[in-house]
Amino acid sequence: MLRLAAVLLRFNRGTLLLLDPPPGLEVAALPGVLWDGRVQAHRAPACEHAAIRSDLERAGVPFSGQVPERDPHPAQCPRVELRPYQDAALCAWELAGRRGIVVLPTGSGKTRVALAAMARTRMRTLCLVPTRVLLDQWLREIGKLYPGAVGCLGDGVHAVSAVTVATFESGLRHMDRLGNRFDLLIIDEAHHFGRGQRDEALEMSIASARLGLTATPVRPDHPSAASIARLIGPTVFELAVADLAGRFLASFDLIALHLDLSEGERTAYEERVFVYREAIAQFRRQAPEASWEDFARIAARTDQGRRALLAFRQARALLGFTEAKRAVLRSILARHADARLLVFTADNQTAYAISREHLIMPLTCDIGRPEREEALAHFRDGSLRALVSARVLNEGMDVPEASVAVVVGGSQGEREHVQRVGRILRPGPGKRAVVYELITRGTLEVRQARRRREALAPRISPCL
């Protein structure tokens, strides 16, 4: 029996080089493999490492080369206690071959599921997070449990250990050198991927085990869904706010307040909406299957289209903080004078207007990290009773003391709404949260509000 020569697998700057293939082996048929004429060798994305090894083993073709670095494994973690639904989520991920996305609402302990995955697998782990705020939170949470050193990539720190936390940008920047150092990737807020911007960070890693976490998954028909499934895995477990509220999350009341525009506001709004609706109606007649994003891209090429997009933005801006919203917000703040309260707006301009009018601390992208952390500390100890934000509080920031939220306006649909509601659902003794949603009658906000409420609906049947 003829003995085949071994294929040499070599990690090279976030890719795999397949060197010295034996005659007769169809190297180009292996997953992701292409010929690279620059180096006269076949090359594949590092993320195909496990699939290529599996195909070579099935074909009886030997291979060599220590693609993973011989780094030590993480220190032994103590057992992580999980709630029943968290344990079910981890079980579903393990049964799916340790690849996939766990969807759980904000405040339900997604980080805890990830810590349990690290403890059970004892794999060299890289946690990828979108912001520096989340970088700090993950470092704290891992440090409470993990007895070894925890590495950090981001916010001016470059320290790599068997368990490391990195921002998306730092992970992308260093993955060409670190892509063979980890066996498990944990991707927080996984819905940010699949759009091509940061996907290379996942493509450049050989990690076969991948756990994505999110409260707001992309829809199956979204253009990024297929890429996310390829890079991380499919959704393996999903629960919504309504599935957990009252037992594992705080019970809450969602109060929708329908408000009217003043006569002047209505006139200005209808003038702008008329310009926009004429343009999009004409576009729909020509391309009935096209998306709004298609309309925006094509409209930006013509004067008429640009006028329509400007009118749309002006109409939305007009709804940001109407006279009725201003009056109702004042009433809500007085009604909940003793509660810790979060106000959410559609844009920074509205956030600053509310901040000036009610002397509420704003948290926006313009506020530096030290000042933001100081404000959050004062909010937690009760020195500040309210915060106002456009987007900074949407994702990842932990404010368990908050019990009242006022959604004055939004700009990012269902995902944004789920994240905002989740900010006030951290459980506490006797806690019942309240969410006020301010909706202007006869405007675009009505349909948007309906979709946002649907996003909070249960994902499992009541009998379960």
Side-chain angles (χ1 to χ4, degrees), residues 5-154:
V7 177
L8 176 62
L9 302 179
R10 178 179 297 166
F11 181 80
N12 179 255
R13 301 179 64 182
T15 68
L16 295 177
L17 289 177
L18 287 78
L19 306 174
D20 303 326
L25 175 64
E26 295 186 32
V27 184
L30 294 171
V33 173
L34 294 172
W35 176 255
D36 187 348
R38 298 169 300 177
V39 295
Q40 295 295 296
H42 287 91
R43 190 188 294 272
C47 63
E48 301 290 356
H49 177 247
I52 289 173
R53 285 175 56 111
S54 178
D55 280 12
L56 290 175
E57 289 172 351
R58 279 197 297 269
V61 177
F63 53 87
S64 63
Q66 190 66 32
V67 172
E69 285 286 334
R70 294 175 180 263
D71 292 331
H73 283 275
Q76 184 67 52
C77 280
R79 177 182 174 83
V80 180
E81 296 296 328
L82 297 176
R83 296 170 176 172
Y85 67 87
Q86 293 169 331
D87 192 53
L90 185 58
C91 178
W93 176 72
E94 290 176 325
L95 291 174
R98 293 178 173 174
R99 286 182 70 93
I101 296 174
V102 168
V103 180
L104 289 172
T106 302
S108 61
K110 295 186 294 295
T111 305
R112 197 84 181 159
V113 176
L115 293 173
M118 292 166 49
R120 287 194 195 180
T121 62
R122 207 184 169 194
M123 289 179 165
R124 292 165 293 201
T125 302
L126 176 64
C127 303
L128 295 172
V129 301
T131 66
R132 290 178 295 177
V133 172
L134 280 171
L135 180 75
D136 292 338
Q137 287 186 191
W138 273 84
L139 289 170
R140 284 198 303 271
E141 291 302 313
I142 293 174
K144 293 176 184 176
L145 177 79
Y146 179 62
V150 182
C152 175
L153 293 174

Side-chain angles (χ1 to χ4, degrees), residues 48 59 73 140 160 166 187 234 298 328 347 352 398 409 448:
E48 301 290 356
H73 283 275
R140 284 198 303 271
V160 181
I187 304 101
I298 294 172
V328 168
D347 52 68
Y352 290 132
D398 194 11
Q448 292 169 349

Side-chain angles (χ1 to χ4, degrees), residues 15 54 71 81 88 122 131 184 204 217 239 265 301 321 379 402 452:
T15 68
S54 178
D71 292 331
E81 296 296 328
R122 207 184 169 194
T131 66
L184 168 62
M204 296 166 71
L239 292 178
E265 290 170 337
R301 301 172 185 170
F321 198 38
F379 183 80
R452 290 197 295 261

Side-chain angles (χ1 to χ4, degrees), residues 158-220:
H158 184 103
V160 181
S161 297
V163 173
T164 298
V165 186
T167 60
F168 289 167
E169 282 68 25
S170 294
L172 176 60
R173 190 159 54 247
H174 298 292
M175 199 67 81
D176 61 336
R177 299 184 298 279
L178 301 178
N180 61 338
R181 299 280 296 272
F182 302 99
D183 309 303
L184 168 62
L185 289 185
I186 293 172
I187 304 101
D188 196 14
E189 308 295 352
H191 55 268
H192 285 291
F193 286 89
R195 306 171 190 175
Q197 299 166 335
R198 305 182 178 97
D199 292 356
E200 285 188 15
L202 306 184
E203 292 174 345
M204 296 166 71
S205 170
I206 67 167
S208 58
R210 301 184 176 208
L211 172 60
L213 305 170
T214 183
T216 53
V218 300
R219 296 186 301 272

